[in-house]
Amino acid sequence: MTKNMTEGKPFRLILQFAVPLLIGNLLQQTYNIIDAAIVGRVLGTNALAAIGSTSSVQFMVLGFCIGTCTGFGIPVAKEFGAGKLEKMREYIFHAMLLALGVAVVLTISCALLCPWILHILSVPAEIYRDAYRYQLVIFLGIPFTILYNLMSSILRSVGDSRTPFVFLAISTILNIGLDFFCILVLKWGCAGAAIATITAQALSGIMCVIFVWKKVTILKPAARNCVVEANKIKNLLLMGLPMGLQFSITAIGSMVMQSANNSLGSVCVSGFTAGMRIKQFLMCPYDAIGSAVSVFCGQNLGAGKTQRIRTGIRDALIIAVGYSIIAGIIMIVFGRNLSLLFVSKKAVDVLDASAKYLRYMGYFFWCLALLNICRMSVQGLGFSGRAIFSGVTEMVARCVVSLGFVSHYGYTAICCADQTAWAMACLYIVPMCYICVKKIYNIS
């Protein structure tokens, strides 16, 4: 079930690793699209706006969970690449222990702060009730989100990207079925969409645990591996927290941007939500290639093969930038037609808003390719603290555009906020990636 990425052609290895991740991400985003389509067409544009009005805070909280779990996998990948399996299992035990603590703290905190969060986001009164119910259920499901992402991160760290995909595929199919059942049959509205998501997420996480414990014994900590060590906790936190905070810091800028957009009215909120769903779908390859290059860097760093790291990063950039050109053209040319998946053709204003958001996005989608690959490479090399500054740059850029330009340029400023953030972050992370690779090469 494991795969050693320290031997063989980097281009082929990265693609082989990324493909299952990509298909899994596409399935997940397909579910998100179907979910939004069901909500928008069955419950109406206000319900769609209610779900979309809280997307930035979901990105912040769930992104922290995903980033932290991904960071916990870096020491695992490094020890696996070095062939130190006992030490690898010790890190797995400590990662599970820390993940449990993160789950408890985040679930309680977010559930209690949910009304305050919606107030900060300036959620319109007409959609507040649905937004609150949807968001509260998502927060209560945080432990399941962490469970799946931790187990997936551990499996990917040892080169297995196929198994998490299989369980995610099962989860996605179940999710779609539960969506129809909870919304159309039980009439639970927006809360039903959230319940369907959390139930499916729980199932995929539990299946991952059972699979690892019964089939991948190399990852199963023995009693001798389950001794708490402060240095391992420290190493995991130094990897996990910066990656989690990077997502959260980036999301703070997105929250400011969404709050500014929410103040423009439900038309802009609905258009932004529809466009964002399409953008997230088209971003899936970036996540897959980024995860692949991060694991590739981690394993080869552990094996001391620094020249392969350079080659792997270069190949990943070629793949990502090539894809970004195609995706950008799709956004520019077909954005309005794709928005019809979520919005009735009668809602002309909403369609116009969604198409404008996607058109502006398409011209600069290549910036996100550079940002994501370079950032994940820096993290995979163990420099999570340096990578986090790119998230700070994104946050500042989004805040400046949202607070300084939305009042004058309205929705047009919202459509330019992400691109500005990506471009500013690239000015930092691209040369930093070069510096980190050079440092590793000199040390070896």
Side-chain angles (χ1 to χ4, degrees), residues 55-73 98-107 109-110 139 142 145-147 149-150 153 236-252 255 379 388:
S55 60
S56 60
V57 73
Q58 285 182 56
F59 176 61
M60 181 182 73
V61 176
L62 300 184
F64 178 82
C65 298
I66 295 169
T68 301
C69 291
T70 301
F72 287 166
L98 288 173
L100 176 63
V102 171
V104 172
V105 172
L106 280 182
T107 302
S109 301
C110 291
F139 283 156
I142 286 174
T145 300
I146 290 179
L147 176 64
N149 283 284
L150 177 64
S153 177
L236 285 168
L237 290 177
L238 287 175
M239 290 293 106
L241 289 184
M243 291 187 72
L245 288 173
Q246 174 193 293
F247 280 91
S248 296
I249 289 171
T250 302
I252 291 173
M255 289 177 65
Q379 290 170 343
I388 196 174

Side-chain angles (χ1 to χ4, degrees), residues 261 264 268 356 405-415:
N261 187 56
L264 298 176
C268 291
K356 181 177 181 179
F405 294 91
V406 171
S407 59
H408 296 287
Y409 299 100
Y411 188 66
T412 299
I414 295 295
C415 294

Side-chain angles (χ1 to χ4, degrees), residues 12 43 55 89 154 197 199 209 221 259 281 285 342 345 377 385-386 436-437:
R12 179 175 56 84
L43 301 178
S55 60
R89 285 187 281 267
I154 291 172
T197 298
T199 302
V209 172
S259 178
F281 186 87
F342 313 104
K345 62 181 180 181
S377 298
R386 298 188 183 189
C436 290
V437 171

